Amino acid sequence: MGDLLPDGKIRSVETLNEFASPSAWAYNCKSIINKIKKAGCGWSSIRYKGKKLDAYKHAYFRKRESSNLEHNIVPVEDAESDVAYAIQNEVIPSTPPTESHVAKEPIKFSEIRSRSSNQNLNTLVECTDWSYINKVQPFHVNISANAKLLLDFHCHLMSSEVVGYLAGNWDFPTQTLTVKNAYPFRSRLHDAELTSLIEEEIRNTFTAKNMVLVGWYHSHPETIATPTLRDIEAQLDYEVQIKGPTVESYIPCVGIICSPYDKGKSTLDSTITCYWVLPSFENEIHDYGRPMNMHFTTKPEKSLTLDIVMALKKCVDFNKYEPDVINFKDKYKNDVTYLEKLKISLMDKFPKDDTIHRFLWNFLSEIVCIGSSGDTAKNNLQNLIAVISSRQLLLSTSSFQTPNALVEHLESYLKSCNANSLTLEDVPTTSDGSNITSASIASSLFNDLDFSKAMSLIGLSPSRYQTDPLK
């Protein structure tokens, strides 16, 4: 226990020694238990009146910055919350911030000034390579091509920032973090009750697939894919929340930034950066963590799953009426349209199956740019599901699974996705793979998709670190 003095110092109740910063006092307390402890982040480990100091710090800087951005700040009287303030009816602005709010060129980590109230939290900071600090990357990162496909597609849809979560597995013996799925959403809601329901729904999805939360992603629509000071703070806080209470239960958390429309880039594919944040140490003049570049591997997918197809369409359905949605018929750069740019960026993330490849692009191009594929979106969806189902049938029969068992699995899956009008009678039980997916299944998928309107997940809410869209 300690006393917070009027001058900002902390006096230890046990020793009466005074400490100039929260981190200094945290280091002293932790060193009593662990003599070899070399650092202690006070902001994330000290509580004042039941709330972490991080909550007061983030609330203070948000309040100061929001006064300049004319946001409406209201207090939240919730002793269980880690956030002392919330932005009422908070939305991400649909228009780009002014030049004064966004620094387009990144600075080196060594150039970060000491923390101050007028500091621009949208300042971009270069990620540091592990070799620069004479260390090796602490764990391996694998990102599935399907997860990259979904998050890249999601980030291409909007001219403002989008956010989503990453699910996967952590293998302790090999120290490998695998990102298997991406879960996109728009954080434009303030309905706490709905958010809790969606959190539970997504949590159940993780559990059913034997996955855990392993990170988050967001877009920098027109700037480079490197974190801002605000991203660094959010990432470090997420790392602390997810890590688990013991070494054995430790789970890393990574951040991914996707930059789809960086016009300073010579190629048309998106830039995807994976980063992790090292906490600050006592001898540093500021208390920002250092963003570290996390190298990752990706293996091509052999096929596609129905949940990825559904998630791709959900993104479009949820965002198509927003004022900042991209018009893919427009010119992106020179004579290249946004649709052509999207295709170039997604191609290397498509499954290595020529038939799926062709039908998938026809489907995606039609739902973002009507009339571009030469067929209707429903027909494209039906063709895509048919070929996916036939591939699944081949895999299933090779594993001694009967066609009827596959049909039952498919029906169960569609029902779990709110396609409750589908019955077994709607699904052909023939062994002909091309007939496994009927027009009724495609119609059910096409009409009954309801995008999850989540803005937070398992206590990790991007709205806590709300940023202007990075342009």
Side-chain angles (χ1 to χ4, degrees):
M1 302 293 292
D3 289 330
L4 179 61
L5 305 180
D7 61 359
K9 294 181 179 179
I10 299 175
R11 177 187 295 146
S12 170
V13 171
E14 291 82 5
T15 66
L16 299 183
N17 292 333
E18 294 182 3
F19 301 88
S21 71
S23 293
W25 185 54
Y27 166 60
N28 173 75
C29 294
K30 293 177 181 179
S31 64
I32 295 175
I33 300 173
N34 182 2
K35 298 296 183 181
I36 63 173
K37 189 73 174 176
K38 298 299 181 183
C41 181
W43 294 103
S44 63
S45 58
I46 297 176
R47 290 182 180 269
Y48 178 70
K49 293 185 176 179
K51 299 183 180 69
K52 291 181 182 179
L53 291 189
D54 261 340
Y56 295 97
K57 178 178 66 174
H58 292 313
Y60 173 75
F61 287 119
R62 280 204 309 273
K63 185 177 181 181
R64 290 295 299 268
E65 185 177 19
S66 296
S67 64
N68 297 330
L69 299 176
E70 299 181 347
H71 279 170
N72 181 27
I73 303 293
V74 296
V76 174
E77 301 296 337
D78 182 2
E80 296 301 319
S81 173
D82 281 342
V83 184
Y85 291 88
I87 301 179
Q88 188 175 26
N89 299 333
E90 184 172 26
V91 299
I92 300 178
S94 60
T95 55
T98 61
E99 293 295 323
S100 61
H101 290 314
V102 177
K104 293 186 175 180
E105 294 298 324
I107 64 173
K108 296 183 180 299
F109 180 74
S110 58
E111 298 174 11
I112 299 178
R113 306 187 309 273
S114 0
R115 190 186 293 272
S116 63
S117 59
N118 61 353
Q119 193 156 27
N120 183 4
L121 295 181
N122 287 326
T123 300
L124 297 166
V125 182
E126 286 184 1
C127 287
T128 303
D129 284 328
W130 291 93
S131 59
Y132 180 81
I133 58 174
N134 296 319
K135 294 183 181 294
V136 296
Q137 186 169 306
F139 54 90
H140 307 289
V141 180
N142 294 327
I143 305 177
S144 75
N146 282 343
K148 287 176 65 177
L149 169 65
L150 183 51
L151 73 87
D152 193 17
F153 179 76
H154 183 210
C155 294
H156 269 89
L157 295 179
M158 311 298 292
S159 62
S160 60
E161 183 176 307
V162 301
V163 183
Y165 282 98
L166 305 169
N169 301 112
W170 165 245
D171 186 62
F172 181 79
T174 62
Q175 296 290 287
T176 300
L177 186 73
T178 301
V179 178
K180 291 186 175 181
N181 281 11
Y183 290 85
F185 64 86
R186 292 300 302 271
S187 55
R188 292 192 173 191
L189 301 179
H190 59 280
D191 189 334
E193 182 177 354
L194 177 60
T195 297
S196 298
L197 294 175
I198 298 300
E199 286 181 358
E200 186 64 27
E201 176 187 333
I202 298 178
R203 193 198 317 265
N204 291 339
T205 303
F206 287 171
T207 304
K209 296 184 177 182
N210 296 316
M211 293 188 298
V212 294
L213 186 67
V214 295
W216 64 301
Y217 74 86
H218 68 287
S219 66
H220 286 186
E222 294 183 4
T223 58
I224 66 174
T226 194
T228 63
L229 291 175
R230 182 180 278 106
D231 296 336
I232 293 171
E233 287 191 332
Q235 172 62 24
L236 186 57
D237 193 37
Y238 288 178
E239 290 174 12
V240 171
Q241 293 186 55
I242 291 179
K243 67 183 179 67
T246 65
V247 173
E248 291 75 16
S249 63
Y250 171 79
I251 298 176
C253 170
V254 295
I256 289 180
I257 300 174
C258 177
S259 175
Y261 299 121
D262 178 9
K263 294 187 178 180
K265 187 177 179 180
S266 58
T267 59
L268 295 176
D269 57 320
S270 298
T271 301
I272 296 178
T273 299
C274 182
Y275 71 105
W276 194 64
V277 173
L278 278 177
S280 61
F281 296 97
E282 293 298 321
N283 59 352
E284 293 179 346
I285 61 173
H286 53 76
D287 57 358
Y288 288 108
R290 180 188 287 269
M292 306 299 298
N293 188 28
M294 299 296 291
H295 296 284
F296 60 88
T297 59
T298 300
K299 292 182 179 180
E301 301 284 353
K302 294 182 179 180
S303 186
L304 198 65
T305 57
L306 288 174
D307 57 342
I308 297 296
V309 175
M310 295 180 70
L312 291 165
K313 188 173 186 301
K314 286 176 183 179
C315 287
V316 176
D317 287 348
F318 183 76
N319 293 299
K320 61 184 177 183
Y321 298 117
E322 298 291 345
D324 47 356
V325 68
I326 293 293
N327 184 347
F328 285 89
K329 295 180 181 179
D330 289 347
K331 298 293 184 183
Y332 166 65
K333 184 190 293 186
N334 301 326
D335 292 329
V336 178
T337 65
Y338 279 89
L339 185 62
E340 292 168 335
K341 189 256 181 265
L342 175 66
K343 183 177 183 179
I344 291 173
S345 185
L346 297 183
M347 284 299 101
D348 66 333
K349 304 171 184 71
F350 276 19
K352 299 307 177 183
D353 182 308
D354 291 341
T355 306
I356 291 181
H357 195 288
R358 181 173 70 257
F359 285 132
L360 177 58
W361 175 245
N362 287 344
F363 169 65
L364 293 179
S365 64
E366 188 63 30
I367 61 176
V368 300
C369 189
I370 297 175
S372 61
S373 71
D375 201 349
T376 66
K378 281 189 178 182
N379 287 341
N380 286 327
L381 179 59
Q382 182 178 348
N383 293 334
L384 179 58
I385 295 175
V387 70
I388 291 175
S389 298
S390 66
R391 298 299 187 269
Q392 290 179 340
L393 179 63
L394 291 175
L395 292 175
S396 299
T397 54
S398 66
S399 300
F400 303 101
Q401 181 177 8
T402 66
N404 283 347
L406 176 63
V407 170
E408 292 174 3
H409 172 75
L410 182 60
E411 184 197 37
S412 174
Y413 177 83
L414 294 174
K415 283 187 175 181
S416 72
C417 300
N418 295 325
N420 293 315
S421 60
L422 186 67
T423 65
L424 272 175
E425 286 72 23
D426 296 316
V427 185
T429 56
T430 173
S431 60
D432 181 358
S434 63
N435 293 326
I436 281 294
T437 304
S438 66
S440 61
I441 298 180
S443 179
S444 179
L445 282 172
F446 191 86
N447 293 321
D448 295 335
L449 295 177
D450 180 22
F451 186 76
S452 299
K453 302 175 179 64
M455 72 173 180
S456 67
L457 175 63
I458 316 177
L460 307 184
S461 171
S463 62
R464 291 174 56 186
Y465 309 98
Q466 199 70 50
T467 68
D468 292 329
L470 292 173
K471 295 294 178 182

